[in-house]
Amino acid sequence: FMTRPRLNIEEVLADHLLREDVREVPIQRKFFVVFLWVALILVGIVLIRFLYVGAVRYSFYSMRALRNISDIIINPAPRGVIRDRFGKEFVKNDHSFNAYLLPRFLPKEPSERSKILIHLSEVLKIDFQELWKKIVIRDWQLTDRILLVNDLSQDELIELTSERIPGIKVESGFKRVQEEPFVFSHLVGYTGLVDSNDLEDNFSLVMDDEIGRAGLESFYDGDLRGLNGEDITFKDALGKIQGANIVNNPKPGNSLDTFIDKNFQTFFYKRLEQTLKDLGRNIGVGVAMNPKNGEILALVGIPGFDASNVADSLDSKYQALFNRVVGGKYNPGSTIKPLVATAALSEGIIFPDKEIFSSGSLEVPNLYNPDMPSKFLDWKAHGWVNLASALARSSNVYFYEVGGGFQDQKGLGIGRLKKWWQKFLLDKKTNIDISGETAGFLPDPDWKEKTTDQPWRLGDTYNVTIGQGDFSITPIALLNYISAIANGGVVYQPRIVKDVVNSQGETIKETKPVVLADLRKDIGNVLPYVWEGMRDAVRQPYGTARLLGNLPVAVSGKTGSAQVENNTKTNAFFVGYAPSDDPEIAILVLIENSREGSSNTVPIARDVFLWYYQNRLKGR
C-alpha cells in the first residue's frame, strides 16, 4: 500500500512565507471594457465580411460555385440597334464567330502546350508573346477561358473548325457595325470587352462581355446591352456529366430612336472632311440642332475612327477618339459677341443706335509707361458702327468699349460679363445625353490673382469680351447659347435620343424637351436688335457671312476667329440659324488651325444650310 508523503518543517515555513507576500489586486474595469470593444469589433468584422460575401458578392460567388460544378456556355445577346429620326438604322449587329482558349483542355505536357499555342498564334496571326501575356495576366478566378479573336475571318474559321485543336472552342456571336464607320464614330462611340473593374461594378456582366466605352454606346449601355443566355451542363465531383439545363435564352438589348438625320449627318461630315482636305488641316467639328426644343440633328467630329478597330486610333497624333463636340474647350472668339450685345442692352450700357468709332485699334494709357500705351487691335478699321453693324462687321473696338469701357463709354465689366455668361449656363455642362462632356471655364479677378499673383487688368476684360484670353467653352455649349438667342431666350437641354424601344417594339422610355434656363423676361425686349445684327452679317455687303446671302432661305449668323498657342494658330468658327424669322435649325462649324480664319467655315455653312433647305424645309 501507499504511504502519505511527509512534509518537513522547512517546506511548511517556506510555503507560509510565500503566502504572506501575495496580495490580491482587483482587475480594473477598463480592461474589461477594452476587451469587450475588441471582441465587438472582431465580431463586427466577421459579420460585415459575411454580409459582403453572402449578399453584396452573392452573384459573383454563386456564379463561381456554379462554374465549379458545371460547364457554362454563354449565348451572347445582341445589342440594340440605333436608328435615326426616320427609322433608318446606322448602328446594327452582324453575326460573327469568336475563338476562345480553354487552358484546362490543353495537354498536360508543357512542350505539347507550347506547340499548340505557337500554332494558334500562326493561325490567328497573333504575336506569340502577346498571346502568352494574355494568358499570364488573365484573372482566372473570374473565368475559365479567354477570348482570342472576336470576329474570325473565313479562312481562320475553316482552319480552326477542321483541325479540332485541343483547348480551342469556336462560338457564334455578334459584332457591332456602323454603316459609315467614320461618319458616326463620335456620335455612336464604340464598345469594348469588360475588365475586372466592370465586373466589380456590375455582377450581371461576365468576362468577354462587350460594353459601351464612348458616345451613345456608353451613355445608353444599360439599355443597349441585352441579357446573355446560358447553357449549363452539370457535372459530379469526378467531372462526369450529370445533365444539361438551359437556364435562360438570350434577351436582345433595347434599341434607340434618335433625332439624328442620317443623310444630313453624312453630308455634313463629308462636306467638312473635304474642306479640311483642301486646306491641309486635320481637325474639325460640326453640330446641328433644332433651337426650338434641343433636338440634335447631326454631331460630327474629324478625325473620326473605325469603331470595329479602335486600336488603330489609340496613338493617333490628332486624338481621333476625343469627342471635341462635348469635350473640347475653345476660346469662342467673336461668336460670343451676340451674348455681350444682349447683356449690354439688358444692362443699359449701350443703346442700339449709339455709334462707336473704330479706327482699327484702341489705345489705353499705360500708367507705368505713358510713352507706351497699350494697344488693342481690331481686325480692320470699321469707322462708325452701331450695335447691328458692329455684330455684322464683327468690330472688336465696339465690343472692347461695351465690355470694358473706354473714356465716356461705360462698360459691363468682368463682374457683369461673368453674370451673363452664367445666365446662359456657359460654366455648366449642357447634360447632353452622350458621354465625355466637360464644362466651360469662366475666368474672373479672384481666379487670376490666386493662380498668377497678378491683378485683373482692363486688357483682360477686353480680351474675354471678344472671346479670347482664358475664357473657354465647349462647342455644344456655344451652339446651345446661340440657339437660345435664336428662339427668344430659352436654353434647352440638348437631346440625341428620342425614345428607347424594346425587342417587341414597345416604347419603354421617351424623352421630352427640358428647359435649363428661361431668359425671355430678361432679354425678350432686346433680342430683336441682336437678331438684326446677326441677320445683317449675312444680308449686308459688309457682313462677315455675306456668302450666305444668296441662299433660298433667310440665314442669320456670326463668324469668329480665336488666336491660340501664342497667336501661332487660328481656330475658325461659324454659328447661325435658319429660317431667320422662325428658326428650325442652328449649326456650328469649327476648323482648328484654319488657314484663313472664319472665311473657311462660311462655305461649309452655306452648303449645309442649302442641303437642309432643299431636302428638309423646301415645300413645307
Side-chain angles (χ1 to χ4, degrees), residues 183-196:
V183 172
F184 294 92
S185 56
H186 288 294
L187 171 69
V188 175
Y190 60 93
T191 59
L193 298 179
V194 303
D195 56 29
S196 56

Side-chain angles (χ1 to χ4, degrees), residues 38-89:
V38 170
L40 287 175
I41 290 171
L42 291 175
V43 170
I45 291 172
V46 172
L47 286 174
I48 291 172
R49 184 63 183 171
F50 178 78
L51 290 173
Y52 177 73
V53 172
V56 178
R57 298 300 306 275
Y58 171 79
S59 298
F60 173 79
Y61 286 109
S62 62
M63 180 60 69
R64 292 305 308 153
L66 186 60
R67 287 189 179 278
N68 288 335
I69 64 168
S70 63
D71 284 330
I72 300 178
I73 297 176
I74 301 296
N75 297 319
R79 290 175 72 85
V81 301
I82 305 178
R83 296 181 284 259
D84 82 343
R85 66 190 304 115
F86 302 111
K88 298 177 181 177
E89 294 181 357

